Amino acid sequence: MVTKYWKLKNDEPLEPQLEQAAQLLREGEVVAFPTETVYGLGADGLNGDACRKIYAAKGRPADNPLILHISEMEEIEPLTSGLSPMAKKLMAAFWPGPMTLIVPKSSIIPEVVTAGQETVAVRFPSNQVARKLIHLAGRPIAAPSANKSGKPSPTNARDVLQDMDGVIGGVLDGGSCDIGVESTIIDTTGPVPVILRPGGITEEMIQEVMGDVKLDPGLVRPDQKPKAPGMKYRHYAPKAPMYLIEGPEAGLGVIRAAILAEAGGLKVGVLALDETIKHLPRVHPNLVICDGGHDLASLAENLYTELREFDRQQVDVILGEGVATHDLGLAIMNRMRKSAGHNILVYENGLYRLQSGQAPEFLQAMLE
Ligand code: TXA
Ligand code: MG
């Protein structure tokens, strides 16, 4: 299959190209498009055969349901058998934006979208390209992140094409995504909102509006099954083994580990904040430095592009700097811990303590 490519330019009208993409969607083809979080792999959400093509393109397990995307608030009505007051309050506060709500499903939704759940995931994105495309298609658009299952989500069209060129009908290139990590998923079917996946709308923001919010136990306890089926899979995985250094001196721990790994003859990828990176040599043949930026927002925005950059540069090992799990840090650490396959070390008082998973060979002598 030849994948169509549309480059959207800010100073030109979007409609002609969006209309072509919408036409493909109506014909039951799969089209990748930008949202404010990550690129989505879209298909007609009311057409079961079209949605099955999404699973095939991604290599996605059949038990992992899709999110339906809408272009106006009221388009949720036909998709659900009823909205709780809690859901309505969340919608008013955070839509359009990086929030997905789990609501009771209606009978018009194909089985393949919900993968056997009694509920459906719905999201109203704020990205203008996404909204116009959904509007022009004239139906809800089912869209998971536009990566092959297991890989980091794409946040630009080049990364989409790396996984999907020749596999899907088309890609709309609307530039880089603002937020960089996927939407916050909130279950609205119980007495209080429950975060099933942390994202751009933070626990603190929800707390402020709703007064009460819980985290799905499956997010914090490894022995609990996550309520969002997709959260149980290994995700966001770069090719090289990754180790996450956490703790109050995480940055220093990353620097020392990078020096040791490099001295051991390894090509080392480092993903850290500005503050840490400025202590590392800029030009060095065996160090691939990915700058996470100066704050949580820039770290989130850069995270997936940089994990993919390590693959392109074929590093032997990746070291990531952990951040505190407040605000966007919760979403970032949820993704980074998975990328690292839960290989987590805490650096404190000049020593590394293994928190979970495995420690690399080159740190064995410095383990507490
Ligand atoms: O930001 C986003 O949400 C992006 C963009 C494209 O909108 N989409 C996205 O989709 O991240 P995906 O498929 O990669 O993640 C959807 C998650 C999966 O973990 C899935 O298991 C969960 O949502 N999910 C979908 N329907 C659900 C349901 N009825 N109950 C619980 N979890 C559900
Ligand atoms: Mg995904």
mmCIF file with all atom_site columns, all heavy atoms in Angstrom, residues 243 245 251-263 266 268 270 287 317 319 345 347 352 360 362-363 366:
data_model
loop_
_atom_site.group_PDB
_atom_site.id
_atom_site.type_symbol
_atom_site.label_atom_id
_atom_site.label_alt_id
_atom_site.label_comp_id
_atom_site.label_asym_id
_atom_site.label_entity_id
_atom_site.label_seq_id
_atom_site.pdbx_PDB_ins_code
_atom_site.Cartn_x
_atom_site.Cartn_y
_atom_site.Cartn_z
_atom_site.occupancy
_atom_site.B_iso_or_equiv
_atom_site.pdbx_formal_charge
_atom_site.auth_seq_id
_atom_site.auth_comp_id
_atom_site.auth_asym_id
_atom_site.auth_atom_id
_atom_site.pdbx_PDB_model_num
ATOM 1   N N   . TYR A 1 243 ? 18.077 2.034  32.008 1.00 0.00 ? 243 TYR A N   1
ATOM 2   C CA  . TYR A 1 243 ? 18.100 2.075  33.472 1.00 0.00 ? 243 TYR A CA  1
ATOM 3   C C   . TYR A 1 243 ? 17.680 3.461  33.917 1.00 0.00 ? 243 TYR A C   1
ATOM 4   O O   . TYR A 1 243 ? 18.173 4.467  33.403 1.00 0.00 ? 243 TYR A O   1
ATOM 5   C CB  . TYR A 1 243 ? 19.502 1.739  33.997 1.00 0.00 ? 243 TYR A CB  1
ATOM 6   C CG  . TYR A 1 243 ? 19.950 0.369  33.537 1.00 0.00 ? 243 TYR A CG  1
ATOM 7   C CD1 . TYR A 1 243 ? 20.670 0.233  32.351 1.00 0.00 ? 243 TYR A CD1 1
ATOM 8   C CD2 . TYR A 1 243 ? 19.585 -0.775 34.245 1.00 0.00 ? 243 TYR A CD2 1
ATOM 9   C CE1 . TYR A 1 243 ? 21.039 -1.026 31.889 1.00 0.00 ? 243 TYR A CE1 1
ATOM 10  C CE2 . TYR A 1 243 ? 19.950 -2.034 33.789 1.00 0.00 ? 243 TYR A CE2 1
ATOM 11  C CZ  . TYR A 1 243 ? 20.667 -2.158 32.618 1.00 0.00 ? 243 TYR A CZ  1
ATOM 12  O OH  . TYR A 1 243 ? 21.020 -3.398 32.155 1.00 0.00 ? 243 TYR A OH  1
ATOM 13  N N   . ILE A 1 245 ? 17.530 6.230  36.828 1.00 0.00 ? 245 ILE A N   1
ATOM 14  C CA  . ILE A 1 245 ? 18.152 6.600  38.099 1.00 0.00 ? 245 ILE A CA  1
ATOM 15  C C   . ILE A 1 245 ? 17.218 7.586  38.793 1.00 0.00 ? 245 ILE A C   1
ATOM 16  O O   . ILE A 1 245 ? 16.901 8.636  38.228 1.00 0.00 ? 245 ILE A O   1
ATOM 17  C CB  . ILE A 1 245 ? 19.535 7.272  37.880 1.00 0.00 ? 245 ILE A CB  1
ATOM 18  C CG1 . ILE A 1 245 ? 20.366 6.543  36.825 1.00 0.00 ? 245 ILE A CG1 1
ATOM 19  C CG2 . ILE A 1 245 ? 20.278 7.416  39.198 1.00 0.00 ? 245 ILE A CG2 1
ATOM 20  C CD1 . ILE A 1 245 ? 21.002 5.264  37.205 1.00 0.00 ? 245 ILE A CD1 1
ATOM 21  N N   . GLY A 1 251 ? 20.305 13.272 39.099 1.00 0.00 ? 251 GLY A N   1
ATOM 22  C CA  . GLY A 1 251 ? 21.136 13.857 38.050 1.00 0.00 ? 251 GLY A CA  1
ATOM 23  C C   . GLY A 1 251 ? 22.601 13.464 38.202 1.00 0.00 ? 251 GLY A C   1
ATOM 24  O O   . GLY A 1 251 ? 23.257 13.031 37.243 1.00 0.00 ? 251 GLY A O   1
ATOM 25  N N   . LEU A 1 252 ? 23.110 13.578 39.422 1.00 0.00 ? 252 LEU A N   1
ATOM 26  C CA  . LEU A 1 252 ? 24.507 13.210 39.694 1.00 0.00 ? 252 LEU A CA  1
ATOM 27  C C   . LEU A 1 252 ? 24.702 11.713 39.436 1.00 0.00 ? 252 LEU A C   1
ATOM 28  O O   . LEU A 1 252 ? 25.715 11.279 38.877 1.00 0.00 ? 252 LEU A O   1
ATOM 29  C CB  . LEU A 1 252 ? 24.848 13.568 41.145 1.00 0.00 ? 252 LEU A CB  1
ATOM 30  C CG  . LEU A 1 252 ? 26.295 13.397 41.585 1.00 0.00 ? 252 LEU A CG  1
ATOM 31  C CD1 . LEU A 1 252 ? 27.228 14.189 40.677 1.00 0.00 ? 252 LEU A CD1 1
ATOM 32  C CD2 . LEU A 1 252 ? 26.461 13.839 43.044 1.00 0.00 ? 252 LEU A CD2 1
ATOM 33  N N   . GLY A 1 253 ? 23.708 10.920 39.816 1.00 0.00 ? 253 GLY A N   1
ATOM 34  C CA  . GLY A 1 253 ? 23.770 9.473  39.594 1.00 0.00 ? 253 GLY A CA  1
ATOM 35  C C   . GLY A 1 253 ? 23.858 9.133  38.115 1.00 0.00 ? 253 GLY A C   1
ATOM 36  O O   . GLY A 1 253 ? 24.567 8.199  37.718 1.00 0.00 ? 253 GLY A O   1
ATOM 37  N N   . VAL A 1 254 ? 23.155 9.899  37.284 1.00 0.00 ? 254 VAL A N   1
ATOM 38  C CA  . VAL A 1 254 ? 23.186 9.671  35.838 1.00 0.00 ? 254 VAL A CA  1
ATOM 39  C C   . VAL A 1 254 ? 24.573 10.009 35.290 1.00 0.00 ? 254 VAL A C   1
ATOM 40  O O   . VAL A 1 254 ? 25.153 9.252  34.506 1.00 0.00 ? 254 VAL A O   1
ATOM 41  C CB  . VAL A 1 254 ? 22.096 10.510 35.120 1.00 0.00 ? 254 VAL A CB  1
ATOM 42  C CG1 . VAL A 1 254 ? 22.321 10.526 33.612 1.00 0.00 ? 254 VAL A CG1 1
ATOM 43  C CG2 . VAL A 1 254 ? 20.712 9.965  35.447 1.00 0.00 ? 254 VAL A CG2 1
ATOM 44  N N   . ILE A 1 255 ? 25.116 11.133 35.742 1.00 0.00 ? 255 ILE A N   1
ATOM 45  C CA  . ILE A 1 255 ? 26.435 11.555 35.250 1.00 0.00 ? 255 ILE A CA  1
ATOM 46  C C   . ILE A 1 255 ? 27.499 10.507 35.577 1.00 0.00 ? 255 ILE A C   1
ATOM 47  O O   . ILE A 1 255 ? 28.260 10.072 34.716 1.00 0.00 ? 255 ILE A O   1
ATOM 48  C CB  . ILE A 1 255 ? 26.823 12.923 35.866 1.00 0.00 ? 255 ILE A CB  1
ATOM 49  C CG1 . ILE A 1 255 ? 25.869 14.009 35.367 1.00 0.00 ? 255 ILE A CG1 1
ATOM 50  C CG2 . ILE A 1 255 ? 28.276 13.278 35.548 1.00 0.00 ? 255 ILE A CG2 1
ATOM 51  C CD1 . ILE A 1 255 ? 25.973 15.316 36.106 1.00 0.00 ? 255 ILE A CD1 1
ATOM 52  N N   . ARG A 1 256 ? 27.521 10.060 36.826 1.00 0.00 ? 256 ARG A N   1
ATOM 53  C CA  . ARG A 1 256 ? 28.544 9.077  37.233 1.00 0.00 ? 256 ARG A CA  1
ATOM 54  C C   . ARG A 1 256 ? 28.360 7.757  36.491 1.00 0.00 ? 256 ARG A C   1
ATOM 55  O O   . ARG A 1 256 ? 29.331 7.135  36.051 1.00 0.00 ? 256 ARG A O   1
ATOM 56  C CB  . ARG A 1 256 ? 28.475 8.855  38.748 1.00 0.00 ? 256 ARG A CB  1
ATOM 57  C CG  . ARG A 1 256 ? 28.819 10.128 39.510 1.00 0.00 ? 256 ARG A CG  1
ATOM 58  C CD  . ARG A 1 256 ? 29.017 9.870  40.979 1.00 0.00 ? 256 ARG A CD  1
ATOM 59  N NE  . ARG A 1 256 ? 30.239 9.095  41.220 1.00 0.00 ? 256 ARG A NE  1
ATOM 60  C CZ  . ARG A 1 256 ? 30.628 8.712  42.432 1.00 0.00 ? 256 ARG A CZ  1
ATOM 61  N NH1 . ARG A 1 256 ? 29.901 9.010  43.487 1.00 0.00 ? 256 ARG A NH1 1
ATOM 62  N NH2 . ARG A 1 256 ? 31.738 8.025  42.592 1.00 0.00 ? 256 ARG A NH2 1
ATOM 63  N N   . ALA A 1 257 ? 27.108 7.343  36.322 1.00 0.00 ? 257 ALA A N   1
ATOM 64  C CA  . ALA A 1 257 ? 26.850 6.079  35.613 1.00 0.00 ? 257 ALA A CA  1
ATOM 65  C C   . ALA A 1 257 ? 27.269 6.195  34.148 1.00 0.00 ? 257 ALA A C   1
ATOM 66  O O   . ALA A 1 257 ? 27.839 5.259  33.577 1.00 0.00 ? 257 ALA A O   1
ATOM 67  C CB  . ALA A 1 257 ? 25.369 5.709  35.722 1.00 0.00 ? 257 ALA A CB  1
ATOM 68  N N   . ALA A 1 258 ? 27.012 7.356  33.545 1.00 0.00 ? 258 ALA A N   1
ATOM 69  C CA  . ALA A 1 258 ? 27.373 7.551  32.129 1.00 0.00 ? 258 ALA A CA  1
ATOM 70  C C   . ALA A 1 258 ? 28.889 7.458  31.958 1.00 0.00 ? 258 ALA A C   1
ATOM 71  O O   . ALA A 1 258 ? 29.377 6.819  31.010 1.00 0.00 ? 258 ALA A O   1
ATOM 72  C CB  . ALA A 1 258 ? 26.863 8.905  31.635 1.00 0.00 ? 258 ALA A CB  1
ATOM 73  N N   . ILE A 1 259 ? 29.621 8.053  32.885 1.00 0.00 ? 259 ILE A N   1
ATOM 74  C CA  . ILE A 1 259 ? 31.089 8.022  32.796 1.00 0.00 ? 259 ILE A CA  1
ATOM 75  C C   . ILE A 1 259 ? 31.603 6.583  32.933 1.00 0.00 ? 259 ILE A C   1
ATOM 76  O O   . ILE A 1 259 ? 32.456 6.132  32.168 1.00 0.00 ? 259 ILE A O   1
ATOM 77  C CB  . ILE A 1 259 ? 31.705 8.951  33.877 1.00 0.00 ? 259 ILE A CB  1
ATOM 78  C CG1 . ILE A 1 259 ? 31.356 10.415 33.542 1.00 0.00 ? 259 ILE A CG1 1
ATOM 79  C CG2 . ILE A 1 259 ? 33.216 8.763  33.971 1.00 0.00 ? 259 ILE A CG2 1
ATOM 80  C CD1 . ILE A 1 259 ? 31.640 11.402 34.653 1.00 0.00 ? 259 ILE A CD1 1
ATOM 81  N N   . LEU A 1 260 ? 31.024 5.842  33.881 1.00 0.00 ? 260 LEU A N   1
ATOM 82  C CA  . LEU A 1 260 ? 31.451 4.453  34.084 1.00 0.00 ? 260 LEU A CA  1
ATOM 83  C C   . LEU A 1 260 ? 31.133 3.575  32.877 1.00 0.00 ? 260 LEU A C   1
ATOM 84  O O   . LEU A 1 260 ? 31.948 2.761  32.443 1.00 0.00 ? 260 LEU A O   1
ATOM 85  C CB  . LEU A 1 260 ? 30.746 3.871  35.321 1.00 0.00 ? 260 LEU A CB  1
ATOM 86  C CG  . LEU A 1 260 ? 31.335 4.291  36.660 1.00 0.00 ? 260 LEU A CG  1
ATOM 87  C CD1 . LEU A 1 260 ? 30.374 3.919  37.787 1.00 0.00 ? 260 LEU A CD1 1
ATOM 88  C CD2 . LEU A 1 260 ? 32.695 3.615  36.879 1.00 0.00 ? 260 LEU A CD2 1
ATOM 89  N N   . ALA A 1 261 ? 29.927 3.758  32.326 1.00 0.00 ? 261 ALA A N   1
ATOM 90  C CA  . ALA A 1 261 ? 29.516 2.934  31.185 1.00 0.00 ? 261 ALA A CA  1
ATOM 91  C C   . ALA A 1 261 ? 30.411 3.219  29.983 1.00 0.00 ? 261 ALA A C   1
ATOM 92  O O   . ALA A 1 261 ? 30.865 2.301  29.288 1.00 0.00 ? 261 ALA A O   1
ATOM 93  C CB  . ALA A 1 261 ? 28.058 3.222  30.837 1.00 0.00 ? 261 ALA A CB  1
ATOM 94  N N   . GLU A 1 262 ? 30.681 4.481  29.777 1.00 0.00 ? 262 GLU A N   1
ATOM 95  C CA  . GLU A 1 262 ? 31.484 4.905  28.636 1.00 0.00 ? 262 GLU A CA  1
ATOM 96  C C   . GLU A 1 262 ? 32.921 4.376  28.793 1.00 0.00 ? 262 GLU A C   1
ATOM 97  O O   . GLU A 1 262 ? 33.510 3.875  27.831 1.00 0.00 ? 262 GLU A O   1
ATOM 98  C CB  . GLU A 1 262 ? 31.425 6.432  28.578 1.00 0.00 ? 262 GLU A CB  1
ATOM 99  C CG  . GLU A 1 262 ? 31.793 7.047  27.259 1.00 0.00 ? 262 GLU A CG  1
ATOM 100 C CD  . GLU A 1 262 ? 33.269 7.302  27.179 1.00 0.00 ? 262 GLU A CD  1
ATOM 101 O OE1 . GLU A 1 262 ? 33.837 7.704  28.214 1.00 0.00 ? 262 GLU A OE1 1
ATOM 102 O OE2 . GLU A 1 262 ? 33.841 7.085  26.102 1.00 0.00 ? 262 GLU A OE2 1
ATOM 103 N N   . ALA A 1 263 ? 33.428 4.430  30.021 1.00 0.00 ? 263 ALA A N   1
ATOM 104 C CA  . ALA A 1 263 ? 34.777 3.904  30.279 1.00 0.00 ? 263 ALA A CA  1
ATOM 105 C C   . ALA A 1 263 ? 34.820 2.398  30.021 1.00 0.00 ? 263 ALA A C   1
ATOM 106 O O   . ALA A 1 263 ? 35.863 1.841  29.684 1.00 0.00 ? 263 ALA A O   1
ATOM 107 C CB  . ALA A 1 263 ? 35.194 4.207  31.717 1.00 0.00 ? 263 ALA A CB  1
ATOM 108 N N   . LEU A 1 266 ? 31.089 1.182  26.294 1.00 0.00 ? 266 LEU A N   1
ATOM 109 C CA  . LEU A 1 266 ? 29.722 1.191  25.762 1.00 0.00 ? 266 LEU A CA  1
ATOM 110 C C   . LEU A 1 266 ? 29.378 2.523  25.115 1.00 0.00 ? 266 LEU A C   1
ATOM 111 O O   . LEU A 1 266 ? 29.872 3.574  25.525 1.00 0.00 ? 266 LEU A O   1
ATOM 112 C CB  . LEU A 1 266 ? 28.718 0.926  26.896 1.00 0.00 ? 266 LEU A CB  1
ATOM 113 C CG  . LEU A 1 266 ? 28.829 -0.423 27.602 1.00 0.00 ? 266 LEU A CG  1
ATOM 114 C CD1 . LEU A 1 266 ? 27.867 -0.488 28.781 1.00 0.00 ? 266 LEU A CD1 1
ATOM 115 C CD2 . LEU A 1 266 ? 28.551 -1.569 26.624 1.00 0.00 ? 266 LEU A CD2 1
ATOM 116 N N   . VAL A 1 268 ? 26.694 5.151  25.054 1.00 0.00 ? 268 VAL A N   1
ATOM 117 C CA  . VAL A 1 268 ? 25.702 5.444  26.106 1.00 0.00 ? 268 VAL A CA  1
ATOM 118 C C   . VAL A 1 268 ? 24.721 6.530  25.674 1.00 0.00 ? 268 VAL A C   1
ATOM 119 O O   . VAL A 1 268 ? 25.127 7.600  25.236 1.00 0.00 ? 268 VAL A O   1
ATOM 120 C CB  . VAL A 1 268 ? 26.410 5.949  27.395 1.00 0.00 ? 268 VAL A CB  1
ATOM 121 C CG1 . VAL A 1 268 ? 25.424 5.994  28.549 1.00 0.00 ? 268 VAL A CG1 1
ATOM 122 C CG2 . VAL A 1 268 ? 27.602 5.086  27.734 1.00 0.00 ? 268 VAL A CG2 1
ATOM 123 N N   . VAL A 1 270 ? 21.967 9.172  27.039 1.00 0.00 ? 270 VAL A N   1
ATOM 124 C CA  . VAL A 1 270 ? 21.558 9.812  28.297 1.00 0.00 ? 270 VAL A CA  1
ATOM 125 C C   . VAL A 1 270 ? 20.334 10.680 28.035 1.00 0.00 ? 270 VAL A C   1
ATOM 126 O O   . VAL A 1 270 ? 20.338 11.514 27.128 1.00 0.00 ? 270 VAL A O   1
ATOM 127 C CB  . VAL A 1 270 ? 22.696 10.691 28.868 1.00 0.00 ? 270 VAL A CB  1
ATOM 128 C CG1 . VAL A 1 270 ? 22.223 11.452 30.099 1.00 0.00 ? 270 VAL A CG1 1
ATOM 129 C CG2 . VAL A 1 270 ? 23.913 9.833  29.205 1.00 0.00 ? 270 VAL A CG2 1
ATOM 130 N N   . LEU A 1 287 ? 28.921 9.131  23.574 1.00 0.00 ? 287 LEU A N   1
ATOM 131 C CA  . LEU A 1 287 ? 27.819 9.633  24.391 1.00 0.00 ? 287 LEU A CA  1
ATOM 132 C C   . LEU A 1 287 ? 26.757 10.234 23.474 1.00 0.00 ? 287 LEU A C   1
ATOM 133 O O   . LEU A 1 287 ? 27.050 11.129 22.686 1.00 0.00 ? 287 LEU A O   1
ATOM 134 C CB  . LEU A 1 287 ? 28.311 10.759 25.311 1.00 0.00 ? 287 LEU A CB  1
ATOM 135 C CG  . LEU A 1 287 ? 28.814 10.434 26.709 1.00 0.00 ? 287 LEU A CG  1
ATOM 136 C CD1 . LEU A 1 287 ? 29.109 11.735 27.444 1.00 0.00 ? 287 LEU A CD1 1
ATOM 137 C CD2 . LEU A 1 287 ? 27.815 9.594  27.485 1.00 0.00 ? 287 LEU A CD2 1
ATOM 138 N N   . VAL A 1 317 ? 23.325 1.224  25.703 1.00 0.00 ? 317 VAL A N   1
ATOM 139 C CA  . VAL A 1 317 ? 22.634 1.307  26.988 1.00 0.00 ? 317 VAL A CA  1
ATOM 140 C C   . VAL A 1 317 ? 22.053 2.720  27.127 1.00 0.00 ? 317 VAL A C   1
ATOM 141 O O   . VAL A 1 317 ? 22.605 3.672  26.584 1.00 0.00 ? 317 VAL A O   1
ATOM 142 C CB  . VAL A 1 317 ? 23.605 0.962  28.153 1.00 0.00 ? 317 VAL A CB  1
ATOM 143 C CG1 . VAL A 1 317 ? 24.759 1.948  28.228 1.00 0.00 ? 317 VAL A CG1 1
ATOM 144 C CG2 . VAL A 1 317 ? 22.885 0.910  29.488 1.00 0.00 ? 317 VAL A CG2 1
ATOM 145 N N   . LEU A 1 319 ? 20.533 5.631  29.912 1.00 0.00 ? 319 LEU A N   1
ATOM 146 C CA  . LEU A 1 319 ? 20.373 6.058  31.301 1.00 0.00 ? 319 LEU A CA  1
ATOM 147 C C   . LEU A 1 319 ? 19.365 7.201  31.332 1.00 0.00 ? 319 LEU A C   1
ATOM 148 O O   . LEU A 1 319 ? 19.519 8.192  30.610 1.00 0.00 ? 319 LEU A O   1
ATOM 149 C CB  . LEU A 1 319 ? 21.720 6.536  31.859 1.00 0.00 ? 319 LEU A CB  1
ATOM 150 C CG  . LEU A 1 319 ? 22.821 5.472  31.864 1.00 0.00 ? 319 LEU A CG  1
ATOM 151 C CD1 . LEU A 1 319 ? 24.178 6.109  32.116 1.00 0.00 ? 319 LEU A CD1 1
ATOM 152 C CD2 . LEU A 1 319 ? 22.517 4.412  32.933 1.00 0.00 ? 319 LEU A CD2 1
ATOM 153 N N   . LEU A 1 345 ? 17.159 2.306  39.733 1.00 0.00 ? 345 LEU A N   1
ATOM 154 C CA  . LEU A 1 345 ? 18.169 2.438  40.790 1.00 0.00 ? 345 LEU A CA  1
ATOM 155 C C   . LEU A 1 345 ? 17.988 3.786  41.470 1.00 0.00 ? 345 LEU A C   1
ATOM 156 O O   . LEU A 1 345 ? 17.694 4.783  40.821 1.00 0.00 ? 345 LEU A O   1
ATOM 157 C CB  . LEU A 1 345 ? 19.570 2.369  40.188 1.00 0.00 ? 345 LEU A CB  1
ATOM 158 C CG  . LEU A 1 345 ? 19.909 1.019  39.549 1.00 0.00 ? 345 LEU A CG  1
ATOM 159 C CD1 . LEU A 1 345 ? 20.207 1.192  38.084 1.00 0.00 ? 345 LEU A CD1 1
ATOM 160 C CD2 . LEU A 1 345 ? 21.067 0.360  40.276 1.00 0.00 ? 345 LEU A CD2 1
ATOM 161 N N   . TYR A 1 347 ? 19.928 6.690  43.535 1.00 0.00 ? 347 TYR A N   1
ATOM 162 C CA  . TYR A 1 347 ? 21.294 7.157  43.823 1.00 0.00 ? 347 TYR A CA  1
ATOM 163 C C   . TYR A 1 347 ? 21.256 8.064  45.037 1.00 0.00 ? 347 TYR A C   1
ATOM 164 O O   . TYR A 1 347 ? 20.539 9.060  45.058 1.00 0.00 ? 347 TYR A O   1
ATOM 165 C CB  . TYR A 1 347 ? 21.843 7.919  42.610 1.00 0.00 ? 347 TYR A CB  1
ATOM 166 C CG  . TYR A 1 347 ? 23.272 8.373  42.799 1.00 0.00 ? 347 TYR A CG  1
ATOM 167 C CD1 . TYR A 1 347 ? 24.319 7.456  42.738 1.00 0.00 ? 347 TYR A CD1 1
ATOM 168 C CD2 . TYR A 1 347 ? 23.559 9.701  43.068 1.00 0.00 ? 347 TYR A CD2 1
ATOM 169 C CE1 . TYR A 1 347 ? 25.632 7.864  42.922 1.00 0.00 ? 347 TYR A CE1 1
ATOM 170 C CE2 . TYR A 1 347 ? 24.874 10.121 43.251 1.00 0.00 ? 347 TYR A CE2 1
ATOM 171 C CZ  . TYR A 1 347 ? 25.906 9.191  43.181 1.00 0.00 ? 347 TYR A CZ  1
ATOM 172 O OH  . TYR A 1 347 ? 27.191 9.603  43.360 1.00 0.00 ? 347 TYR A OH  1
ATOM 173 N N   . TYR A 1 352 ? 24.538 3.427  44.576 1.00 0.00 ? 352 TYR A N   1
ATOM 174 C CA  . TYR A 1 352 ? 23.300 3.083  43.877 1.00 0.00 ? 352 TYR A CA  1
ATOM 175 C C   . TYR A 1 352 ? 22.608 1.951  44.636 1.00 0.00 ? 352 TYR A C   1
ATOM 176 O O   . TYR A 1 352 ? 23.255 0.983  45.037 1.00 0.00 ? 352 TYR A O   1
ATOM 177 C CB  . TYR A 1 352 ? 23.600 2.609  42.449 1.00 0.00 ? 352 TYR A CB  1
ATOM 178 C CG  . TYR A 1 352 ? 24.217 3.682  41.577 1.00 0.00 ? 352 TYR A CG  1
ATOM 179 C CD1 . TYR A 1 352 ? 25.597 3.895  41.584 1.00 0.00 ? 352 TYR A CD1 1
ATOM 180 C CD2 . TYR A 1 352 ? 23.428 4.474  40.748 1.00 0.00 ? 352 TYR A CD2 1
ATOM 181 C CE1 . TYR A 1 352 ? 26.176 4.878  40.795 1.00 0.00 ? 352 TYR A CE1 1
ATOM 182 C CE2 . TYR A 1 352 ? 24.001 5.463  39.955 1.00 0.00 ? 352 TYR A CE2 1
ATOM 183 C CZ  . TYR A 1 352 ? 25.374 5.659  39.981 1.00 0.00 ? 352 TYR A CZ  1
ATOM 184 O OH  . TYR A 1 352 ? 25.939 6.629  39.197 1.00 0.00 ? 352 TYR A OH  1
ATOM 185 N N   . PRO A 1 360 ? 22.898 -2.627 35.834 1.00 0.00 ? 360 PRO A N   1
ATOM 186 C CA  . PRO A 1 360 ? 23.857 -2.957 34.776 1.00 0.00 ? 360 PRO A CA  1
ATOM 187 C C   . PRO A 1 360 ? 25.191 -3.417 35.373 1.00 0.00 ? 360 PRO A C   1
ATOM 188 O O   . PRO A 1 360 ? 25.551 -3.041 36.486 1.00 0.00 ? 360 PRO A O   1
ATOM 189 C CB  . PRO A 1 360 ? 24.022 -1.628 34.032 1.00 0.00 ? 360 PRO A CB  1
ATOM 190 C CG  . PRO A 1 360 ? 23.685 -0.578 35.036 1.00 0.00 ? 360 PRO A CG  1
ATOM 191 C CD  . PRO A 1 360 ? 22.672 -1.180 35.965 1.00 0.00 ? 360 PRO A CD  1
ATOM 192 N N   . PHE A 1 362 ? 28.159 -2.491 34.713 1.00 0.00 ? 362 PHE A N   1
ATOM 193 C CA  . PHE A 1 362 ? 29.140 -1.435 35.007 1.00 0.00 ? 362 PHE A CA  1
ATOM 194 C C   . PHE A 1 362 ? 28.864 -0.702 36.319 1.00 0.00 ? 362 PHE A C   1
ATOM 195 O O   . PHE A 1 362 ? 29.674 0.099  36.767 1.00 0.00 ? 362 PHE A O   1
ATOM 196 C CB  . PHE A 1 362 ? 29.262 -0.438 33.837 1.00 0.00 ? 362 PHE A CB  1
ATOM 197 C CG  . PHE A 1 362 ? 27.962 0.238  33.434 1.00 0.00 ? 362 PHE A CG  1
ATOM 198 C CD1 . PHE A 1 362 ? 27.497 1.345  34.113 1.00 0.00 ? 362 PHE A CD1 1
ATOM 199 C CD2 . PHE A 1 362 ? 27.217 -0.254 32.361 1.00 0.00 ? 362 PHE A CD2 1
ATOM 200 C CE1 . PHE A 1 362 ? 26.302 1.964  33.759 1.00 0.00 ? 362 PHE A CE1 1
ATOM 201 C CE2 . PHE A 1 362 ? 26.019 0.357  31.992 1.00 0.00 ? 362 PHE A CE2 1
ATOM 202 C CZ  . PHE A 1 362 ? 25.562 1.465  32.694 1.00 0.00 ? 362 PHE A CZ  1
ATOM 203 N N   . LEU A 1 363 ? 27.738 -0.965 36.976 1.00 0.00 ? 363 LEU A N   1
ATOM 204 C CA  . LEU A 1 363 ? 27.464 -0.329 38.279 1.00 0.00 ? 363 LEU A CA  1
ATOM 205 C C   . LEU A 1 363 ? 27.608 -1.307 39.445 1.00 0.00 ? 363 LEU A C   1
ATOM 206 O O   . LEU A 1 363 ? 27.426 -0.915 40.606 1.00 0.00 ? 363 LEU A O   1
ATOM 207 C CB  . LEU A 1 363 ? 26.052 0.272  38.291 1.00 0.00 ? 363 LEU A CB  1
ATOM 208 C CG  . LEU A 1 363 ? 25.867 1.595  37.535 1.00 0.00 ? 363 LEU A CG  1
ATOM 209 C CD1 . LEU A 1 363 ? 24.449 2.120  37.727 1.00 0.00 ? 363 LEU A CD1 1
ATOM 210 C CD2 . LEU A 1 363 ? 26.877 2.642  37.987 1.00 0.00 ? 363 LEU A CD2 1
ATOM 211 N N   . MET A 1 366 ? 29.416 -0.357 42.542 1.00 0.00 ? 366 MET A N   1
ATOM 212 C CA  . MET A 1 366 ? 28.915 0.794  43.300 1.00 0.00 ? 366 MET A CA  1
ATOM 213 C C   . MET A 1 366 ? 27.525 0.572  43.865 1.00 0.00 ? 366 MET A C   1
ATOM 214 O O   . MET A 1 366 ? 26.852 1.495  44.270 1.00 0.00 ? 366 MET A O   1
ATOM 215 C CB  . MET A 1 366 ? 28.906 2.023  42.407 1.00 0.00 ? 366 MET A CB  1
ATOM 216 C CG  . MET A 1 366 ? 30.320 2.439  42.015 1.00 0.00 ? 366 MET A CG  1
ATOM 217 S SD  . MET A 1 366 ? 30.303 3.906  41.038 1.00 0.00 ? 366 MET A SD  1
ATOM 218 C CE  . MET A 1 366 ? 29.725 5.088  42.237 1.00 0.00 ? 366 MET A CE  1
#
